[in-house]
Amino acid sequence: MKFVQPVRDQEVLEDIKDFLRATNMRNYIMFSIGINTGFRISDILRLRVRDVMGSHISIVEKKTGKKKRALIQPDLKRELNDYIAGKAPNEYLIKSREGWNRPISRSMAYKIMRSIGDEFCLSEIGCHTLRKTFGYIFYYETTDKDIGMLMNYFNHSSEKVTLRYIGVEQDSMDAALKRHRA
């Protein structure tokens, strides 16, 4: 499996969102849920309309079996409300065009992410980019860079694991190498 990176540049992130909003709302919603909740793609694909009707999204993680609850941010809530208008509560959010009421496959989600990468010249992108982008933004937007809270949210064993996971360790290494002169 290829190692993927978060989307670090806020302008690129906004461009991706604008592109997806204009071309495919289903893909936009998948992307937005990922970068706003930090859920794994396997959990995002299992979401149904009823799961996003309240103020939070509550799931049992497929990978760990642990319960997780994420607040739906106001911007995402508005977009979700528009997206789910007229849909049945049991309908999958990220619905496949094949069959009746089935979510897209994980491999289709990966193809969508790769097409985003191709469109925006991002080579290290995949489904996990969504989760890592959430963590990267969370880390830099919390006033005290609360790595402990993020570590707990991701169920990681140490802060070091979380810093490496969201790309902060690489950023630090890159900055140090820029300062180094041979």
Side-chain angles (χ1 to χ4, degrees):
M1 181 177 265
K2 196 170 109 172
F3 189 78
V4 300
Q5 296 291 327
V7 177
R8 291 174 170 85
D9 186 323
Q10 189 63 39
E11 189 174 326
V12 171
L13 196 58
E14 290 303 318
D15 288 347
I16 292 169
K17 288 164 51 178
D18 289 344
F19 171 76
L20 290 173
R21 196 180 292 116
T23 58
N24 190 307
M25 276 308 285
R26 179 198 67 189
N27 297 350
Y28 171 75
I29 291 296
M30 179 186 79
F31 187 86
S32 294
I33 290 172
I35 65 171
N36 280 283
T37 64
F39 291 168
R40 290 178 184 88
I41 197 68
S42 57
D43 295 320
I44 294 170
L45 297 180
R46 294 186 311 148
L47 291 174
R48 295 178 186 250
V49 168
R50 65 177 170 248
D51 298 322
V52 299
M53 293 176 100
S55 60
H56 290 75
I57 301 173
S58 297
I59 62 167
V60 175
E61 292 180 318
K62 185 175 180 181
K63 181 178 178 180
T64 66
K66 294 181 179 180
K67 290 182 182 179
K68 182 164 281 182
R69 185 179 155 137
L71 177 69
I72 304 173
Q73 296 295 331
D75 289 346
L76 178 59
K77 185 64 179 170
R78 276 190 298 281
E79 304 241 327
L80 282 169
N81 285 343
D82 289 344
Y83 182 70
I84 66 174
K87 290 182 167 64
N90 70 323
E91 191 173 324
Y92 282 99
L93 278 181
I94 316 302
K95 196 163 109 172
S96 172
R97 293 189 223 351
E98 298 175 9
W100 182 83
N101 198 27
R102 291 178 37 210
I104 64 171
S105 66
R106 193 179 189 303
S107 63
M108 178 53 78
Y110 177 75
K111 286 177 187 172
I112 292 165
M113 292 303 297
R114 286 299 314 139
S115 70
I116 292 167
D118 293 344
E119 182 71 26
F120 291 91
C121 300
L122 302 170
S123 60
E124 296 177 304
I125 191 170
C127 292
H128 232 52
T129 294
L130 302 175
R131 186 168 161 88
K132 289 182 177 196
T133 300
F134 164 82
Y136 189 85
I137 293 168
F138 180 93
Y139 178 73
Y140 281 107
E141 286 189 355
T142 53
T143 53
D144 56 353
K145 294 185 178 171
D146 195 342
I147 194 63
M149 186 182 301
L150 188 57
M151 178 189 91
N152 186 39
Y153 188 79
F154 280 155
N155 295 314
H156 287 164
S157 58
S158 73
E159 292 179 0
K160 184 175 172 78
V161 167
T162 303
L163 289 170
R164 183 174 56 244
Y165 181 78
I166 64 172
V168 172
E169 191 176 79
Q170 184 65 53
D171 290 351
S172 297
M173 180 65 73
D174 292 349
L177 288 171
K178 283 180 186 175
R179 290 190 303 268
H180 175 72
R181 295 185 189 254

